[in-house]
């Protein structure tokens, strides 16, 4: 655990030296809050609360897909990376450190969304619901962390940036993050339960309100976790084999 914390500290220091990396993860969800949630749902307590929860999911997805997808791919291009894999501690502490650092940055990227929701809208939740939502963030980070790792270990850095951008917005729109629950266009409501973004959003909605989770969305979220874990593991092993073949 100590080695994992050392690696997490290293990852955080490396990212903090380039503040724009943190700014990028927080900007789009915060901008969506200001331009869409505040003017259109800001005066409705229930609507504003659910919309803020959607933007939390949006931010979690953004932070993890880009951080792991692009960050891992860039690390693989560094000459230092193969050497770290030969160290006696093995890859586990470094991987755990990356996950811990990623989770810390995920929570950091949520601050603007939460502040905007609390000060500029009528969104309100109890302290217990806030804590439940904060814990749920860690849960819904899992599929997007795995997605980012699959991208990062599969592709070179330039391609990883493009793929991360390509999958990001379709997942957000298709999952219904940019509309109220049940109010998205018909074709979005049809495909949304089959996307990981919808299952993640429903968990957050349920944490902050009395929203009833749809079983299909949660089942498909679990299916996505298994598929993405398999893909990320395969991509890592393939990359490992190439490095030492």
């Amino acid at each position: 655990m100590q080695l994992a914390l050392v690696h997490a500290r290293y990852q955080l220091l490396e990212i903090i030296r380039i503040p724009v990396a943190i700014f990028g993860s927080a900007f789009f969800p915060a901008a969506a809050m200001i331009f869409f949630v505040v003017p259109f749902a800001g005066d409705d307590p229930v609507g504003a609360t659910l919309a803020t929860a959607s933007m939390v999911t949006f931010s979690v997805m953004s932070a993890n897909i880009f951080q792991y997808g692009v960050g891992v791919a860039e690390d693989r291009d560094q000459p230092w990376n193969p050497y770290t894999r030969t160290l006696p501690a093995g890859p586990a502490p470094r991987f755990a450190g990356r996950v811990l650092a990623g989770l810390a940055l995920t929570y950091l990227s949520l601050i603007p969304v939460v502040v905007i929701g609390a000060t500029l809208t009528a969104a309100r939740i109890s302290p217990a619901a806030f804590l439940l939502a904060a814990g749920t963030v860690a849960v819904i980070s899992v599929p997007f962390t795995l997605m980012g790792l699959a991208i990062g270990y599969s592709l070179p850095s330039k391609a990883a940036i493009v793929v991360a951008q390509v999958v990001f917005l379709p997942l957000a729109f298709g999952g219904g993050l940019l509309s109220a629950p049940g109010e998205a266009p018909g074709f979005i409501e049809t495909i949304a339960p089959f996307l990981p973004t919808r299952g993640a959003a429903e968990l957050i909605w349920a944490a902050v309100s009395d929203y009833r989770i749809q079983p299909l969305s949660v089942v498909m979220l679990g299916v996505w976790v298994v598929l993405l874990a398999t893909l990320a593991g395969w991509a890592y092993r393939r990359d490992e084999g190439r490095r030492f073949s």
Side-chain angles (χ1 to χ4, degrees):
M1 186 62 183
Q2 185 176 0
L3 285 175
L5 293 174
V6 170
H7 280 288
R9 179 175 176 271
Y10 165 76
Q11 292 282 343
L12 288 171
L13 288 174
E14 190 175 38
I15 294 172
I16 289 172
R17 289 192 181 103
I18 310 175
V20 70
I22 301 174
F23 175 80
S25 297
F27 173 76
F28 289 108
M33 284 288 295
I34 292 173
F35 291 112
F36 296 103
V37 176
V38 173
F40 296 110
D43 296 331
D44 176 13
V46 175
T49 300
L50 290 173
T52 301
S54 294
M55 291 303 102
V56 166
T57 308
F58 189 95
S59 185
V60 169
M61 179 178 63
S62 171
N64 286 282
I65 289 179
F66 284 97
Q67 180 187 174
Y68 291 104
V70 179
V72 169
E74 289 179 343
D75 283 353
R76 289 170 54 232
D77 291 339
Q78 303 299 320
W80 176 256
N81 185 62
Y83 170 72
T84 60
R85 297 188 179 189
T86 66
L87 297 176
R94 188 162 180 259
F95 180 78
R98 182 182 290 279
V99 171
L100 290 173
L103 195 57
L105 290 172
T106 296
Y107 281 107
L108 189 62
S109 72
L110 296 178
I111 293 175
V113 172
V114 174
V115 170
I116 292 170
T119 59
L120 300 182
T121 76
R124 294 293 181 269
I125 60 173
S126 67
F130 181 85
L131 293 176
L132 179 59
T136 305
V137 164
V139 175
I140 68 171
S141 295
V142 173
F144 305 116
T145 295
L146 294 170
M147 186 178 296
L149 290 172
I151 293 171
Y153 281 119
S154 299
L155 301 168
S157 56
K158 291 182 179 180
I161 294 173
V162 174
V163 171
Q165 292 173 334
V166 167
V167 302
F168 173 65
L169 283 178
L171 284 175
F173 280 105
L177 299 186
L178 302 182
S179 57
E183 296 184 8
F187 76 97
I188 295 294
E189 290 294 329
T190 300
I191 66 172
F194 299 95
L195 299 178
T197 36
R198 184 51 173 250
E202 290 196 7
L203 291 177
I204 289 288
W205 292 340
V208 301
S209 70
D210 58 357
Y211 179 84
R212 294 184 61 183
I213 296 175
Q214 304 301 311
L216 177 60
S217 299
V218 177
V219 169
M220 289 308 302
L221 181 62
V223 171
W224 275 101
V225 168
V226 173
L227 291 175
L228 291 169
T230 302
L231 180 58
W234 170 81
Y236 177 81
R237 290 190 298 272
R238 188 188 67 160
D239 182 63
E240 190 86 358
R242 286 181 175 179
R243 298 285 176 176
F244 296 102
S245 60

